[in-house]
Amino acid sequence: MTSLLHRLTQIVGDAFSAEDLPAALGAVSVSDRPDLAQFQCNGAMAAAKIAKKAPRQIAENIVARLQSQDIFSDITIAGPGFINLKLSDAVLNDYANAIRSDERCGVGAIGDQTIVIDFGGPNLAKPMHVGHLRSTIIGDCLQRVSRFLGHATISDVHMGDWGKPIGMLITELELTQPDLPYFDAAVTDGYPSESPVTMDDLAQMYPKAAADCKADSARDETARHATAALQDGRPGYRALWQHFLNVSKEGMAREFASLDVHFDLWKGEADVDPLIAGMVTDMAAKGVVEQDQGAGIIRVGEEGDKTEIPPLILVKSDGAATYATTDLATILDRVTEHNPDVILYVVDQRQHLHFAQVFRAAKKAGINRNAVLEHIGFGTMNGADGKPFKTRAGGVMKLHDLITMMREKALERLKEAGLADSYGEEETLEIADQVGIAALKFADLSNHRMSDYVFDLDRFMSFEGKTGPYLQYAAVRIQSILRKAEEADARHQDKPIAIESDAERDLVLTLAHFPDAVEGAFDKRAPNVLCEHVYTLAQKFSRFYTEHHILSESDESLRGSRLALCEATLAQITKSLELLGIQVPKRM
Ligand code: ARG
């Protein structure tokens, strides 16, 4: 299906063309004065400059052409030449009925690109923390929207598993258990299959190792050496690395499963290690690498840079690869494997400089082929003090603890609201899970990704206002209306939607904006556009519900039309929430 806006833009564009003006000036948008019009076109102002005529004159000519179309119920010109449009109810009814019977809720599968999305980015041996949360939630929404639009979409978790933290952990373990076979240079295979450490061990070892390395430069040097030796292929270190990876992955998988986030690829920095040597040689042959105090660097500063972009370090003086090196090799890998049109990196905005360096170096060396490289940055989730969110004790909040907290709070809120209290324990816990995750995800996604926001559990979890639980509850209520209709055999399947009131018209117009919201969210890489839509839809529905009888309507056609509106609204709220990664409980 084509969206109403696309269709209107086509019609108004044709009118501009017929006036020998660029069709693009016929772009139609949703009116910013819904009291005056449903849609508007502001093209006459720009056309006036081209045609050297008064904008109002142009608007009048366009309107004269549009008047011949019977799809409009009202066309007016406002101010200097804004064209205001209202569609006839017949057109809106047709559209509503088409959406209602479309399982894609009116959204066309128009995507024809191959898109790789890099998000999540958990690090080996470190428990995932709230910093990974935003990447995961935003990245997952973009993957869902991209896939829904029909783009060939490949998601990759891109684990951080190849840098100095691993060297720190290897040496930390060596200090406490020096007799393990991994540290004996003479032993090169036959290592135990059981990991010498658990995830909890790693989580304790890492902060200690990091602090010791910071305090003691000799200790730091051993970690650096171990990292270089690992990357160079020392068998005992590789075997240990594999153990670290296995235990870490279990923890990561648990968190992603609770968030209902799934990846096509579980690759990491280490996966591209075999590509690094060849890539470095190629880059050197292309003349983009310079030697600088024993290190190999790529200069990426450009004339006109407002702030200096320092060179990218491709090979450290000890031969080790950097975070940037693995990111470059990963581009090479993705381009070879998938030939993508776009690679999206959903990563904290504070890594902006890193991506600027990597993208420039990739282009300089020509390794990204046709792929557009985009850093999709985001701000931080803050505590009440305005600083990145911490535990009460001031430590880093583990993602697992945060998710547990959301579940518990959801259970508490459900109890307070008298919801989900008469079902079995299993179902109640499942609902609490869904509500807790919805609260977290919606609170995050409803802010523009670049803005920081404050973690406010009570507000996120409220059943009123712009929240995940409010929207879930709205959907559950409609589900229950439809269930009751079915029980009462209040047939509506064969009744068309026929607008009779302002509230119904408003609801239909909102339903018709869904394709624009989905496309807008994708084009701007901005899930908040979708949040805005689903919240508006729930509000319009709520007005419709307050102002009209539905099940108690005695006129069969009216009742059928209204039930059909309920059905179309439910389908769209459910689909919107699904695209946001939020599930709707069967009941509450
Ligand atoms: N592991 C990184 C971190 O925790 C994030 C990885 C982001 N993706 C990338 N291709 N660099 O900061």
Side-chain angles (χ1 to χ4, degrees):
M1 280 178 73
T2 9
S3 85
L4 269 189
L5 270 191
H6 284 310
R7 235 194 272 175
L8 287 172
T9 295
Q10 178 73 46
I11 291 169
V12 181
D14 287 350
F16 274 85
S17 297
E19 291 290 316
D20 286 327
L21 290 162
L25 295 178
V28 172
S29 55
V30 173
S31 168
D32 44 30
R33 287 287 305 274
D35 49 327
L36 296 181
Q38 297 165 348
F39 301 94
Q40 67 187 59
C41 170
N42 305 342
M45 268 60 75
K49 294 204 182 84
I50 300 174
K52 303 209 166 40
K53 280 193 205 154
R56 194 139 183 130
Q57 180 60 51
I58 296 197
E60 273 162 20
N61 295 347
I62 299 292
V63 168
R65 290 188 183 273
L66 295 178
Q67 226 103 43
S68 63
Q69 307 261 358
D70 58 3
I71 62 168
F72 298 108
S73 64
D74 192 30
I75 310 178
T76 54
I77 302 172
F82 298 107
I83 302 171
N84 283 335
L85 304 166
K86 277 190 193 165
L87 286 169
S88 75
D89 281 351
V91 171
L92 292 177
N93 285 338
D94 281 351
Y95 198 75
N97 284 305
I99 288 193
R100 167 203 184 185
S101 47
D102 177 13
E103 56 180 29
R104 298 180 51 87
C105 303
V107 181
I110 51 168
D112 57 2
Q113 295 190 309
T114 299
I115 305 210
V116 171
I117 312 184
D118 174 320
F119 68 97
N123 296 318
L124 187 143
K126 292 192 240 175
M128 289 180 70
H129 56 80
V130 307
H132 297 112
L133 179 73
R134 296 210 72 191
S135 169
T136 302
I137 295 181
I138 299 168
D140 182 48
C141 175
L142 293 177
Q143 104 162 304
R144 286 166 185 264
V145 172
S146 170
R147 206 162 271 142
F148 181 52
L149 281 173
H151 296 292
T153 308
I154 301 131
S155 54
D156 180 9
V157 69
H158 198 78
M159 286 174 288
D161 59 0
W162 208 230
K164 202 168 131 212
I166 324 295
M168 292 181 182
L169 285 164
I170 292 175
T171 46
E172 186 64 27
L173 189 63
E174 183 165 15
L175 285 172
T176 51
Q177 300 184 52
D179 296 334
L180 291 175
Y182 309 97
F183 305 116
D184 186 343
V187 180
T188 56
D189 61 5
Y191 303 106
S193 57
E194 190 84 357
S195 170
V197 288
T198 63
M199 185 59 211
D200 286 341
D201 296 333
L202 289 174
Q204 284 184 354
M205 284 158 66
Y206 181 74
K208 175 172 183 298
D212 290 354
C213 286
K214 200 166 172 191
D216 175 354
S217 63
R219 169 75 184 84
D220 194 54
E221 202 46 39
T222 59
R224 214 193 306 270
H225 271 301
T227 312
L230 167 76
Q231 294 182 355
D232 196 37
R234 183 170 158 159
Y237 288 5
R238 291 268 175 144
L240 257 187
W241 171 85
Q242 189 64 55
H243 283 311
F244 292 172
L245 184 71
N246 295 348
V247 280
S248 305
K249 264 183 164 174
E250 266 176 54
M252 298 172 191
R254 177 186 64 176
E255 264 51 280
F256 288 127
S258 332
L259 290 169
D260 191 20
V261 171
H262 309 274
F263 294 91
D264 298 310
L265 302 176
W266 274 79
K267 287 199 170 185
E269 298 166 356
D271 281 292
V272 295
D273 178 64
L275 301 180
I276 290 179
M279 178 184 80
V280 171
T281 313
D282 275 3
M283 286 181 160
K286 281 184 186 146
V288 296
V289 188
E290 273 175 50
Q291 294 306 314
D292 187 62
Q293 299 169 45
I297 63 163
I298 304 181
R299 290 195 192 280
V300 290
E302 285 168 12
E303 240 175 84
D305 283 345
K306 287 201 192 70
T307 49
E308 199 201 323
I309 308 220
L312 174 150
I313 300 173
L314 188 65
V315 190
K316 289 204 230 175
S317 54
D318 61 7
T322 67
Y323 181 41
T325 322
T326 55
D327 256 326
L328 284 168
T330 304
I331 296 177
L332 199 59
D333 182 42
R334 289 174 178 160
V335 161
T336 324
E337 290 288 322
H338 312 290
N339 193 21
D341 299 289
V342 185
I343 307 178
L344 300 179
Y345 295 81
V346 187
V347 187
D348 196 315
Q349 183 61 15
R350 288 173 291 186
Q351 294 195 25
H352 183 69
L353 185 61
H354 164 74
F355 286 107
Q357 291 175 306
V358 169
F359 294 172
R360 284 184 180 191
K363 283 175 206 157
K364 208 165 167 182
I367 60 169
N368 61 317
R369 265 198 239 164
N370 307 319
V372 174
L373 307 171
E374 271 183 60
H375 175 207
I376 310 301
F378 50 80
T380 53
M381 177 169 107
N382 294 337
D385 60 356
K387 302 214 180 86
F389 190 67
K390 295 253 163 65
T391 59
R392 265 189 217 170
V396 175
M397 176 67 111
K398 286 187 204 150
L399 190 51
H400 186 69
D401 296 341
L402 179 68
I403 294 172
T404 310
M405 181 163 110
M406 297 307 288
R407 283 183 174 145
E408 285 166 1
K409 186 77 182 177
L411 202 57
E412 204 181 293
R413 288 306 315 246
L414 286 166
K415 285 218 175 93
E416 279 166 18
L419 294 170
D421 52 359
S422 54
Y423 315 140
E425 192 188 339
E426 200 183 320
E427 188 178 347
T428 305
L429 288 178
E430 193 192 341
I431 298 174
D433 259 13
Q434 292 171 322
V435 170
I437 298 297
L440 189 62
K441 288 190 177 177
F442 196 86
D444 190 286
L445 295 171
S446 55
N447 296 286
H448 185 272
R449 60 181 162 79
M450 292 298 271
S451 338
D452 299 340
Y453 68 95
V454 174
F455 182 80
D456 180 345
L457 192 51
D458 287 319
R459 192 169 60 78
F460 294 179
M461 206 55 92
S462 170
F463 282 100
E464 276 153 39
K466 207 175 184 175
T467 69
Y470 164 75
L471 292 161
Q472 285 176 313
Y473 190 57
V476 165
R477 263 193 356 191
I478 307 177
Q479 285 174 174
S480 124
I481 300 172
L482 291 168
R483 212 162 20 228
K484 281 187 196 135
E486 212 166 292
E487 281 158 17
D489 201 19
R491 293 175 52 78
H492 62 280
Q493 271 71 12
D494 49 357
K495 298 279 182 299
I497 294 175
I499 294 170
E500 293 280 342
S501 70
D502 286 347
E504 290 174 340
R505 189 174 303 105
D506 237 18
L507 180 59
V508 166
L509 278 166
T510 306
L511 285 167
H513 292 325
F514 186 47
D516 311 311
V518 178
E519 284 166 40
F522 185 70
D523 292 345
K524 298 188 192 122
R525 326 294 191 209
N528 63 307
V529 173
L530 200 52
C531 294
E532 223 38 74
H533 174 78
V534 63
Y535 180 59
T536 307
L537 181 60
Q539 282 182 311
K540 302 283 178 185
F541 181 83
S542 167
R543 175 180 168 207
F544 157 77
Y545 181 76
T546 321
E547 291 183 11
H548 297 293
H549 291 286
I550 300 178
L551 282 172
S552 54
E553 173 58 57
S554 53
D555 181 294
E556 215 175 292
S557 302
L558 272 184
R559 187 176 64 231
S561 162
R562 288 181 190 153
L563 282 170
L565 274 172
C566 290
E567 204 171 53
T569 305
L570 175 64
Q572 205 173 91
I573 294 183
T574 308
K575 180 52 91 181
S576 304
L577 291 178
E578 182 193 313
L579 293 174
L580 296 169
I582 294 174
Q583 298 174 357
V584 175
K586 283 192 263 323
R587 50 184 190 171
M588 254 163 140

